[in-house]
Amino acid sequence: MGADNLPGVPADELQSAVLRFGLDDPPTPTVVSEPAWAEVLSWAEAHNLVGQLWQAAPSVTILSATQQAELDDAYEESALPALAIEASALETHRLLADAGIAWRALKGFATSRLLYADPAQRSSRDIDILVRPEDLARTLDALAPITAAPAEVQAGPVRSAMLKERQITDTRGVAIDIHQAIEGCLVNSRLPTEPLFAEPQKFAVRDVEIKACSPAAMFVHSVLHSTSGGAQLSTMPDVGRLARIVVPTDPIAVSLLAGRSQRDLFVWSLDRAAELIPIPDVWLTFVAEHQPSKSRQWLFDSIHDSEARLGLVNVTIGEHRLRRSAEVVWPVDEYLAFKNRTRLGNLGWLVRRGGQIVTGR
């Protein structure tokens, strides 16, 4: 039977096979129709999974010459930023080393080099780094020589301390996300800092040694990140690979998940990941034994994919509730204009903003 006569694979089945590639046995390769292929390629580009699709395609599908050419073009385009990202990472390393600032590489920039035979399989569009909170201001100053677009002004000191990251754009146009903390979608899931710096992994970029978090810290971060803004699908292959390396009794994992808020969100997020990718039994047992309460599960479900509800919850939990409400719910320009408006004007704006939040705008 010729390839043109084989039954086509639905787009959602091919997407699932791509996410699971390298984690279990691939399905029998089948052809994919033009509409389904267009959907899959668009999905991969939207979720930063072009490298994963390019690596998986020969094992999970039979592409026509035209489809392969389209995939090759998309792969080449997604790989182009890699050289600029590497060069920017080396400059970041040099400037922070000169300033005596300890840091760790995060997310795709690190996982692509530590978890995959070919780093291009894990596409990366920017650089994420972690510094200690007390080093954030010094880091922004140290990177000033290569900063083209500085981090945005924040609406007050509570917001500045609460935000987990600040983003700059360097002179190459590479975005550098400078994290002072790691957390999931809820601000009360912030992880303790020191375990994130313990037992670092190391990888080389053009013969320069770069430090990343330990496998356990990387795993906990990846799981929390997977639900930090809807479904972060590009993180799923990382989660699947790290789940095979890390065990629940790892001392760093234990310390990071000692708090109920962190553990509950981690368990809920890993449970959702298990719907998309295979997770080892040892972690499925951990999930079963540490299920959040029904009320917390409802809360997590209700804020998932809803930025308005998520924002409202985040300003009502933890410390400094009233200050956080003013500094987080209000856009920065409105907050900074607060002192220049009448009390009645501020009250009217707050009522309008409350209505927008309730209606999800």
Side-chain angles (χ1 to χ4, degrees):
M1 182 182 291
D4 292 340
N5 297 320
L6 290 173
V9 59
D12 58 347
E13 290 186 15
L14 182 52
Q15 291 169 3
S16 177
V18 170
L19 277 181
R20 301 167 70 93
F21 176 69
L23 302 175
D24 58 10
D25 294 331
T28 302
T30 56
V31 297
V32 56
S33 68
E34 286 302 327
W37 171 247
E39 182 179 340
V40 169
L41 185 57
S42 177
W43 165 83
E45 291 173 332
H47 292 283
N48 204 22
L49 285 164
V50 171
Q52 180 82 355
L53 174 59
W54 192 85
Q55 291 283 345
S59 301
V60 302
T61 190
I62 301 172
L63 298 181
S64 67
T66 300
Q67 291 168 343
Q68 185 64 55
E70 291 173 345
L71 177 56
D72 290 343
D73 289 345
Y75 178 69
E76 182 177 338
E77 183 176 349
S78 71
L80 281 176
L83 291 178
I85 287 174
E86 284 193 353
S88 294
L90 292 177
E91 282 196 318
T92 297
H93 174 79
R94 176 179 61 82
L95 291 170
L96 295 185
D98 289 347
I101 298 171
W103 64 285
R104 298 289 183 265
L106 299 174
K107 296 186 182 178
F109 176 62
T111 60
S112 64
R113 290 157 176 82
L114 291 166
L115 299 178
Y116 301 86
D118 180 0
Q121 181 172 341
R122 174 61 164 93
S123 303
S124 183
R125 296 171 178 166
D126 55 15
I127 300 171
D128 289 87
I129 69 172
L130 172 69
V131 299
R132 291 180 171 87
E134 60 268 26
D135 289 332
L136 176 61
R138 292 177 57 223
T139 299
L140 292 169
D141 290 341
L143 297 182
I146 62 169
T147 299
E152 291 183 359
V153 175
Q154 297 306 314
V158 172
R159 179 175 172 86
S160 295
M162 191 192 77
L163 282 183
K164 65 184 176 70
E165 65 190 80
R166 303 286 295 277
Q167 184 183 86
I168 66 171
T169 301
D170 75 2
T171 50
R172 290 185 177 82
V174 174
I176 303 175
D177 288 346
I178 305 165
H179 297 247
Q180 64 172 335
I182 289 178
E183 62 192 36
C185 58
L186 292 176
V187 295
N188 68 349
S189 66
R190 180 165 294 189
L191 300 174
T193 299
E194 288 313 309
L196 298 171
F197 280 84
E199 301 180 20
Q201 301 179 86
K202 300 174 183 178
F203 61 91
V205 174
R206 303 181 194 175
D207 297 326
V208 175
E209 184 179 271
I210 304 292
K211 291 182 179 180
C213 297
S214 68
M218 188 176 281
F219 177 53
V220 173
H221 180 201
S222 295
V223 172
L224 292 178
H225 180 63
S226 70
T227 57
S228 62
Q232 299 284 348
L233 296 183
S234 62
T235 305
M236 291 300 171
D238 294 351
V239 170
R241 284 162 173 77
L242 287 163
R244 284 153 176 75
I245 300 172
V246 181
V247 295
T249 54
D250 185 295
I252 292 178
V254 170
S255 63
L256 290 173
L257 299 175
R260 180 188 174 191
S261 297
Q262 293 83 358
R263 186 174 59 253
D264 280 355
L265 186 57
F266 172 87
V267 167
W268 177 81
S269 299
L270 188 57
D271 204 11
R272 294 186 70 91
E275 298 173 3
L276 300 173
I277 57 174
I279 298 296
D281 289 343
V282 65
W283 281 109
L284 294 180
T285 299
F286 182 88
V287 166
E289 293 176 348
H290 295 85
Q291 280 291 307
S293 66
K294 295 293 184 181
S295 60
R296 287 209 171 197
Q297 290 187 45
W298 175 86
L299 173 65
F300 296 150
D301 290 339
S302 69
I303 63 177
H304 192 57
D305 284 339
S306 174
E307 288 294 326
R309 285 194 294 270
L310 176 60
L312 190 60
V313 169
N314 270 332
V315 301
T316 58
I317 59 176
E319 301 176 353
H320 307 296
R321 291 180 180 86
L322 295 179
R323 289 286 300 279
R324 184 178 294 148
S325 298
E327 297 181 12
V328 178
V329 177
W330 291 18
V332 61
D333 55 340
E334 293 285 352
Y335 175 80
L336 296 178
F338 177 83
K339 295 181 180 179
N340 298 319
R341 285 199 302 256
T342 65
R343 182 176 300 177
L344 184 61
N346 281 320
L347 180 61
W349 183 89
L350 185 59
V351 170
R352 291 195 301 274
R353 180 60 180 156
Q356 291 172 344
I357 291 174
V358 170
T359 57
R361 288 182 288 163

